[in-house]
Amino acid sequence: MSIELEPSELTFQRPFNREVTQTLHIRNPNYDPVAFKVKTTAPKQYCVRPNSGRIESGKEVEVQVLLQAMKNDPPADYKCRDKFLVQSVAITADREATNVQQIWSHVEQTEKTAIRERKIRVVYLQPGEQSNGNTAGDPSFAESSPPPYTSPSPPDDVQSTPSSVPRPTSQREAPSALTSNTHSTRPGSDDKDAELAAAKATIARLEAELNNQGLRLRKTAGAASDAKDRITEGTAGMGMTTHPTEGIPVQICAALCLLSFFIAWFFF
């Protein structure tokens, strides 16, 4: 299930400070459809569309091979050693319902002997130079152990600009930013001291009022106790019983509530 390639070598004419595209025609002369895959020894330098697919019997597909732009042209006598490998495998009746990716996954794991391969080299040409298409006599093309082949990426994936990706914040920058934000939200020490002094003064005033109130209550309680004794003595002879007054004075409740409010406001 061999396929036919046209041209026999991929030629790219200088200058290479821009993208250069070459078209590779892959033809299927067999009776059964075939699945193909294109690999290269320099996947970062080339883009291929499509890099895999299906070819019906007697049909052909055009594969666009794009050479990425270079910062500087290689020397004039530079011999490019890049190569492409075109693999193909027959799509038999039992594989008709399977997509191309699944076919290659299955074949590469269990039927590697069914894969047919064709190699094609890359040639850099001077402006206006024509290729002679003679690959048989090139010793670099007849290497016994060429570099490993890898499937190149489609053009859309390779042309994405790294500058569009936001630069992550470094580990040294992050703590400093966090610290500055923390300091900006923390109240000033002068305001804190003023609030503390005001709270202490309020607590001292409330304690003094509470002490005065307690003294008054003790005097009032003593007078009430004397009055209660007199009333008890007076009513005892009349057969009457009195009940002591229950509850806490309103002033104490108000003072305690105010004290609790200031303590809660300051500490919580």
Side-chain angles (χ1 to χ4, degrees), residues 18 21 28 32 37 50 70 76 81 105 111 114 121 128 132 141 147 164-165 226 238:
R18 55 181 175 81
T21 304
N28 176 21
D32 295 326
K37 179 188 293 187
M70 304 180 187
R81 304 177 69 86
S105 177
E111 301 180 49
R121 72 168 184 169
N132 55 17
F141 188 71
S164 62
V165 181
D226 295 338
M238 302 174 61

Side-chain angles (χ1 to χ4, degrees), residues 67-86:
L67 173 63
Q68 298 289 327
M70 304 180 187
K71 294 182 178 179
N72 300 306
D73 271 8
D77 58 348
Y78 176 77
K79 297 294 184 181
C80 180
R81 304 177 69 86
D82 299 340
K83 297 179 181 63
F84 280 82
L85 178 70
V86 182

Side-chain angles (χ1 to χ4, degrees), residues 227-243:
K228 178 182 177 182
D229 293 340
R230 289 195 296 270
I231 293 173
T232 302
E233 292 176 358
T235 57
M238 302 174 61
M240 298 176 62
T241 303
T242 59
H243 297 279

Side-chain angles (χ1 to χ4, degrees), residues 1-3 26-28 30 32-38 51-57 61 85-92 95-96 98-105 107-108 114-118:
M1 287 295 173
S2 179
I3 55 177
I26 306 177
R27 185 175 182 274
N28 176 21
N30 305 287
D32 295 326
V34 297
F36 75 93
K37 179 188 293 187
V38 181
N51 58 8
S52 63
R54 172 184 174 130
I55 309 176
E56 299 298 333
S57 175
V61 297
L85 178 70
V86 182
Q87 297 177 312
S88 61
V89 65
I91 301 179
T92 55
R95 298 171 182 164
E96 281 292 340
T98 309
N99 59 42
V100 175
Q101 288 75 15
Q102 292 176 340
I103 290 175
W104 280 112
S105 177
V107 170
E108 289 175 347
I115 300 176
R116 297 294 181 264
E117 297 180 345
R118 292 286 303 275

Side-chain angles (χ1 to χ4, degrees), residues 146-165:
Y149 292 89
T150 307
S151 297
S153 302
D156 292 341
D157 297 338
V158 178
Q159 291 177 355
S160 60
T161 55
S163 59
S164 62
V165 181

Side-chain angles (χ1 to χ4, degrees), residues 2-22:
S2 179
I3 55 177
E4 297 176 354
L5 304 180
E6 179 65 31
S8 58
E9 61 184 13
L10 291 174
T11 58
F12 298 92
Q13 287 191 348
R14 299 168 186 263
F16 297 142
N17 56 1
R18 55 181 175 81
E19 296 178 348
V20 184
T21 304
Q22 178 66 276

Side-chain angles (χ1 to χ4, degrees), residues 7-267:
S8 58
E9 61 184 13
L10 291 174
T11 58
F12 298 92
Q13 287 191 348
R14 299 168 186 263
F16 297 142
N17 56 1
R18 55 181 175 81
E19 296 178 348
V20 184
T21 304
Q22 178 66 276
T23 302
L24 176 64
H25 298 267
I26 306 177
R27 185 175 182 274
N28 176 21
N30 305 287
Y31 292 103
D32 295 326
V34 297
F36 75 93
K37 179 188 293 187
V38 181
K39 295 183 177 181
T40 179
T41 56
K44 295 183 179 180
Q45 192 65 36
Y46 300 92
C47 300
V48 177
R49 175 183 287 178
N51 58 8
S52 63
R54 172 184 174 130
I55 309 176
E56 299 298 333
S57 175
K59 303 294 183 179
E60 71 174 34
V61 297
E62 291 185 356
V63 176
Q64 301 296 321
V65 181
L66 185 145
L67 173 63
Q68 298 289 327
M70 304 180 187
K71 294 182 178 179
N72 300 306
D73 271 8
D77 58 348
Y78 176 77
K79 297 294 184 181
C80 180
R81 304 177 69 86
D82 299 340
K83 297 179 181 63
F84 280 82
L85 178 70
V86 182
Q87 297 177 312
S88 61
V89 65
I91 301 179
T92 55
D94 58 322
R95 298 171 182 164
E96 281 292 340
T98 309
N99 59 42
V100 175
Q101 288 75 15
Q102 292 176 340
I103 290 175
W104 280 112
S105 177
H106 175 74
V107 170
E108 289 175 347
Q109 292 179 4
T110 60
E111 301 180 49
K112 288 186 176 182
T113 56
I115 300 176
R116 297 294 181 264
E117 297 180 345
R118 292 286 303 275
K119 297 178 182 179
I120 184 170
R121 72 168 184 169
V122 176
V123 178
Y124 290 167
L125 300 179
Q126 297 296 331
E129 182 182 357
Q130 298 295 327
S131 171
N132 55 17
N134 183 16
T135 60
D138 189 348
S140 64
F141 188 71
E143 290 178 350
S144 58
S145 57
Y149 292 89
T150 307
S151 297
S153 302
D156 292 341
D157 297 338
V158 178
Q159 291 177 355
S160 60
T161 55
S163 59
S164 62
V165 181
R167 184 178 64 87
T169 304
S170 62
Q171 294 182 353
R172 293 184 179 179
E173 293 176 357
S176 61
L178 180 60
T179 305
S180 61
N181 292 335
T182 305
H183 288 318
S184 63
T185 58
R186 188 176 296 171
S189 58
D190 295 339
D191 297 339
K192 195 71 174 180
D193 294 340
E195 293 178 359
L196 179 60
K200 289 183 177 180
T202 304
I203 293 174
R205 180 173 55 82
L206 291 175
E207 288 179 349
E209 292 179 358
L210 186 60
N211 292 333
N212 293 334
Q213 188 69 25
L215 181 59
R216 293 174 187 173
L217 289 176
R218 285 195 294 270
K219 291 181 180 180
T220 304
S225 177
D226 295 338
K228 178 182 177 182
D229 293 340
R230 289 195 296 270
I231 293 173
T232 302
E233 292 176 358
T235 57
M238 302 174 61
M240 298 176 62
T241 303
T242 59
H243 297 279
T245 304
E246 297 179 355
I248 301 175
V250 177
Q251 295 83 350
I252 295 179
C253 292
L256 292 176
C257 290
L258 185 60
L259 178 61
S260 301
F261 170 79
F262 277 99
I263 292 174
W265 175 81
F266 177 71
F267 289 101

